[in-house]
Amino acid sequence: MLVPSDGVSNNSGKLVAALEQFYSEQVAKRKIIVNKRVEEVVQVAHDLMKHVEAQEPRCLSTLTQAGGRWEGLHIHSPNEYQVTIYLNQMGEFNLVDDGTVPGSAVLKLSDGRKRSMSLWVEFITASGYLSSRKMRARFQTLVAQAVEKSQYRDQLRMVGGTSEVRVRIRDTYTLDLVLAFKCYGIWPRSAAHWPELSLPWPGVELAAEVKMSGFTLVSRDCSHLAREKDKDKQEAAITAEGDTWVMVFTEAEDRLLTQGCRKKCLSILKTLRDRHLDLPGNPVGSFVLKTLVLYECEKHPHEWEWDTISLGDRINGILLQLISCLLCRRCPHYFLPQVDLFRGIPRQSLVQAASQAWRLTRDLLTRSEYLQQC
């Protein structure tokens, strides 16, 4: 819990009505734009992975449609998309979650297993760790070659200056391709404290269901998470992060937001973010908003507090919490509070975002007609 729940004032019925109208009009427009772009993103991803698979059969496309949704596709904003490629054969590695790099874990070759017998032999370090950085570098090379061969090559270009596998589509939006291992039915030691027994939400049954959904290890650059103050230790930590895999809890988070107007609340916040908080340095990403919605669920654990009539209160509460986090320059990850979501973001960007978020909150509180002008 980040700030007292009594810091949120009651909202009038006018604000709730205005938010409902905003949801039915502006949020709906955002969804239409996103859905059109998703069609192109999926076509590009399938085409690129076809060429990647021809060169590297261990990297098979796992982007499939189920229940009207694309499994492995994540929408960060109308201009940012991510496709996760799930890999096989993790069983020969042990998960080591010792907190060396906060929010990350390493995969170490099981005792008795020879490095030469592994499917991923060339990516295993002398110490027996499966190197996230080595696999990402190889994958980046393969995707760059795929871009040159793609039927969409005139519309694509690789984004340079980063170790991430990132493709720009028509110079309009970005597609990240991310390698990952899915960890079903297990829960990381770093998140063992969750849920706090003193809190009534999410409850024993839902918490057990969430933990069974497991988490995902993704190959991302996490050098900014290395936090040692000593220079030698800092360099060692940055070196170590190349072998680590970032822990992601997308399925767990989504399960927690299924009831009441939680998803509607998040959709409204994302649309407001696109219009008012899309700032240089991206201090307020969609994941920050999702995290704050989860904290708001803890502060307001009863289902009646997530009825549509309370939508205005929840939006205001989350925006006020966002301002508080920006001013404190810290936003803890929901499952891994030792991870600061603002780490690596310039102070000036956070200050600018706090000022902009306050103007947005003030206008929502004082002028219900403001949403019609957004």
Side-chain angles (χ1 to χ4, degrees), residues 269-280:
L269 288 167
K270 285 180 178 179
T271 306
L272 289 172
R273 177 261 170 206
D274 293 344
R275 293 161 182 253
H276 301 279
L277 298 170
D278 188 7
L279 303 171

Side-chain angles (χ1 to χ4, degrees), residues 237-339:
I238 291 175
T239 300
E241 66 79 24
D243 300 327
T244 64
W245 298 75
V246 178
M247 291 184 280
V248 175
F249 299 83
T250 304
E251 290 80 4
E253 293 154 358
D254 290 344
R255 284 175 185 265
L256 288 171
L257 298 178
T258 55
Q259 302 298 317
C261 67
R262 292 174 175 87
K263 282 188 176 180
K264 177 185 285 190
C265 181
L266 181 57
S267 294
I268 291 172
L269 288 167
K270 285 180 178 179
T271 306
L272 289 172
R273 177 261 170 206
D274 293 344
R275 293 161 182 253
H276 301 279
L277 298 170
D278 188 7
L279 303 171
N282 194 28
V284 185
S286 60
F287 185 62
V288 168
L289 296 175
K290 190 178 190 181
T291 299
L292 294 178
V293 172
L294 290 167
Y295 279 117
E296 187 76 2
C297 290
E298 286 191 346
K299 290 189 289 183
H300 299 276
H302 306 293
E303 287 307 310
W304 60 264
E305 294 177 290
W306 291 91
D307 288 341
T308 299
I309 196 172
S310 301
L311 186 59
D313 291 338
R314 301 292 78 80
I315 293 288
N316 283 334
I318 293 164
L319 287 175
L320 290 172
Q321 181 64 78
L322 172 62
I323 295 167
S324 175
C325 288
L326 289 167
L327 293 175
C328 294
R329 301 195 298 279
R330 187 173 190 276
C331 182
H333 189 289
Y334 180 67
F335 290 114
L336 306 169
Q338 65 272 29
V339 175

Side-chain angles (χ1 to χ4, degrees), residues 30-192:
R30 181 184 188 271
K31 288 182 178 179
I32 291 172
I33 293 172
V34 166
N35 288 338
K36 286 182 178 179
R37 291 183 175 178
V38 161
E39 292 179 8
E40 184 172 17
V41 165
V42 169
Q43 289 175 351
V44 169
H46 277 313
D47 187 65
L48 293 178
M49 287 306 300
K50 177 184 66 177
H51 296 291
V52 169
E53 290 170 19
Q55 296 294 319
E56 178 53 87
R58 291 174 297 185
C59 291
L60 300 176
S61 176
T62 54
L63 184 62
T64 56
Q65 195 169 26
R69 298 187 58 172
W70 287 98
E71 299 289 340
L73 174 66
H74 305 288
I75 302 163
H76 299 305
S77 79
N79 298 321
E80 299 170 292
Y81 301 83
Q82 175 184 313
V83 169
T84 302
I85 307 299
Y86 295 103
L87 304 172
N88 296 319
Q89 299 295 326
M90 195 189 87
E92 64 200 57
F93 297 96
N94 290 325
L95 175 70
V96 182
D97 174 19
D98 59 6
T100 301
V101 179
S104 300
V106 294
L107 293 172
K108 192 173 189 337
L109 200 61
S110 303
D111 294 340
R113 293 299 296 268
K114 291 184 178 180
R115 184 166 168 263
S116 59
M117 295 173 61
S118 172
L119 180 67
W120 310 102
V121 56
E122 69 269 42
F123 306 113
I124 300 176
T125 67
S127 301
Y129 295 109
L130 183 63
S131 174
S132 169
R133 176 168 48 195
K134 288 182 178 180
M135 292 187 68
R136 193 166 63 250
R138 170 64 174 156
F139 188 50
Q140 187 180 56
T141 300
L142 292 171
V143 172
Q145 294 171 354
V147 167
E148 294 299 319
K149 299 175 182 177
S150 173
Q151 61 178 308
Y152 306 108
R153 57 183 173 274
D154 294 338
Q155 304 171 28
L156 308 178
R157 67 175 176 85
M158 291 292 292
V159 177
T162 176
S163 69
E164 306 290 2
V165 183
R166 187 166 294 157
V167 180
R168 191 77 174 155
I169 301 175
R170 291 194 287 104
D171 276 327
T172 304
Y173 45 98
T174 302
L175 166 63
D176 279 8
L177 292 161
V178 181
L179 298 177
F181 287 102
K182 181 63 181 167
C183 303
Y184 292 102
I186 60 175
W187 197 246
R189 189 176 72 172
S190 295

Side-chain angles (χ1 to χ4, degrees), residues 331-356:
C331 182
H333 189 289
Y334 180 67
F335 290 114
L336 306 169
Q338 65 272 29
V339 175
D340 179 12
L341 301 184
F342 290 157
R343 190 173 184 84
I345 297 178
R347 178 176 179 175
Q348 185 56 40
S349 294
L350 298 176
V351 172
Q352 181 184 1
S355 177
Q356 190 71 12

